[in-house]
Amino acid sequence: MGNHLERLNYAEVPTVDPHGVDRDEGPRVGVSYIFSGGEDDDDGAAGSCGKDADGAATEVKVEDGTPVNPNPEETQFDPREEVECAVYKLDECVYEKNRRSSTLELYSPENLLNKCRAGDLVEFVAGGQYPHWAVYVGNFQVVHLHRAEVKSAFMTDAGRGRRCRIVNERYKFRARDPEVVVQNALEQVGLKDRELRWRNSEGFAAWCRFGRRELKADGELRGGGGGGGGQPYTLHVLLGEQKYSHALEFQSLEDVIAEKRRGDYLGRTALLRELAAHLRTEPGPH
């Protein structure tokens, strides 16, 4: 009911009304984003659809032209700016970041090492930065996608001063055995540029743990639009109270992850401001 499809620039965020959310008819807008390039200076991974990897160590900007802070350790991370969200494939929840269901507590890399086990997924965060994901492989080391190359590093070095946490439970897929996760990660060390099959560090780390092809760039066939099941994924972003969220539809999990990470980069306040601006300028029904 009332569904329509828009093709938008990546910086534009269509949304349902945040004051009348998750009605029975579902999201009102089908989304097909047009990605314009690599995500951040940490990952530097594939560009549009994961095919244009370059890894250039120049000033990096997100799609709207905003420079990324190259010194995350200098930016204080504010937990109140965390964006809570859930991702559904049809009716199945495949990802959730929610204070009610998992801890968002952060640690220094040195302190987190006491809690890590081989095969764990680690997320590094800092204000004004994309989150950076890695796979803990034991012996104080992680494997991660960094500047268009899969690298092995000590966790304290990979963190670059950022705080971190274990995020095994974010994705709802069944995890591989720890030794398989570690093997998956170590076998990719040295891959770079056009050899890469992941758009960002999160997709790479999650693939190592879950082995799902949809976590790779172009891992899923993309539909032709809104109708006929062309956009099976829905990203729900919690706006405040539990019953308030906005919903976006996507054709692939790769696209969902890119938009979800963009929200993490912006932070909750900026994201809500962006959504409010879109609602003010959104044309009425024709």
Side-chain angles (χ1 to χ4, degrees):
M1 293 177 58
N3 286 356
H4 63 282
L5 173 68
E6 295 182 7
R7 290 188 177 272
L8 302 169
N9 291 328
Y10 187 73
E12 296 179 307
V13 179
T15 175
V16 297
D17 185 344
H19 300 296
V21 187
D22 289 347
R23 297 185 177 91
D24 291 341
E25 65 264 34
R28 290 171 33 231
V29 180
V31 180
S32 295
Y33 282 110
I34 302 171
F35 299 103
S36 63
E39 240 181 37
D40 61 13
D41 62 339
D42 271 334
D43 304 345
S48 178
C49 297
K51 293 181 179 178
D52 297 324
D54 53 38
T58 58
E59 180 184 46
V60 180
K61 298 181 179 181
V62 292
E63 286 79 0
D64 64 358
T66 305
V68 172
N69 180 2
N71 300 305
E73 64 275 6
E74 297 179 3
T75 305
Q76 184 67 33
F77 181 75
D78 186 352
R80 295 171 298 180
E81 285 295 292
E82 296 241 50
V83 177
E84 298 178 81
C85 65
V87 178
Y88 287 82
K89 183 175 184 181
L90 301 178
D91 294 328
E92 179 186 5
C93 181
V94 298
Y95 174 97
E96 187 174 23
K97 180 182 179 181
N98 193 309
R99 289 183 177 87
R100 291 176 290 115
S101 61
S102 63
T103 178
L104 298 180
E105 186 175 359
L106 293 165
Y107 302 87
S108 68
E110 293 82 0
N111 288 336
L112 193 67
L113 279 170
N114 296 325
K115 303 176 182 295
C116 279
R117 297 181 180 180
D120 283 347
L121 300 184
V122 176
E123 179 188 47
F124 300 96
V125 296
Q129 293 285 311
Y130 285 95
H132 189 71
W133 287 45
V135 181
Y136 183 69
V137 295
N139 296 322
F140 314 110
Q141 292 189 315
V142 296
V143 171
H144 61 141
L145 177 58
H146 175 66
R147 294 188 177 176
E149 183 177 353
V150 178
K151 302 176 181 179
S152 176
F154 287 108
M155 192 161 84
T156 50
D157 295 334
R160 297 194 307 153
R162 291 170 287 194
R163 297 180 68 77
C164 53
R165 57 195 167 199
I166 297 171
V167 288
N168 293 339
E169 306 305 320
R170 294 273 182 89
Y171 284 93
K172 305 305 179 183
F173 305 126
R174 181 177 179 180
R176 301 293 178 90
D177 292 337
E179 58 270 22
V180 175
V181 178
V182 172
Q183 181 180 356
N184 284 343
L186 292 174
E187 286 180 348
Q188 315 311 315
V189 173
L191 291 183
K192 58 184 178 180
D193 299 329
R194 296 183 182 275
E195 300 173 314
L196 294 173
R197 293 296 178 267
W198 301 274
R199 185 188 182 100
N200 50 59
S201 61
E202 180 175 334
F204 168 73
W207 175 83
C208 290
R209 184 169 175 85
F210 303 106
R212 305 284 296 223
R213 66 185 182 188
E214 57 262 45
L215 291 162
K216 291 186 174 183
D218 288 340
E220 296 176 282
L221 294 176
R222 295 170 183 265
Q231 298 186 109
Y233 290 96
T234 307
L235 171 63
H236 294 268
V237 179
L238 193 65
L239 300 182
E241 298 180 16
Q242 296 178 9
K243 61 182 178 180
Y244 292 144
S245 68
H246 86 274
L248 301 170
E249 291 182 341
F250 296 84
Q251 294 178 356
S252 71
L253 184 58
E254 176 194 4
D255 292 352
V256 179
I257 292 172
E259 174 59 18
K260 177 176 65 65
R261 287 167 62 79
R262 192 182 75 92
D264 288 332
Y265 165 79
L266 290 173
R268 184 176 181 275
T269 300
L271 182 60
L272 294 183
R273 187 181 302 120
E274 181 183 84
L275 294 174
H278 179 83
L279 285 174
R280 286 195 298 268
T281 59
E282 186 178 45
H286 299 291

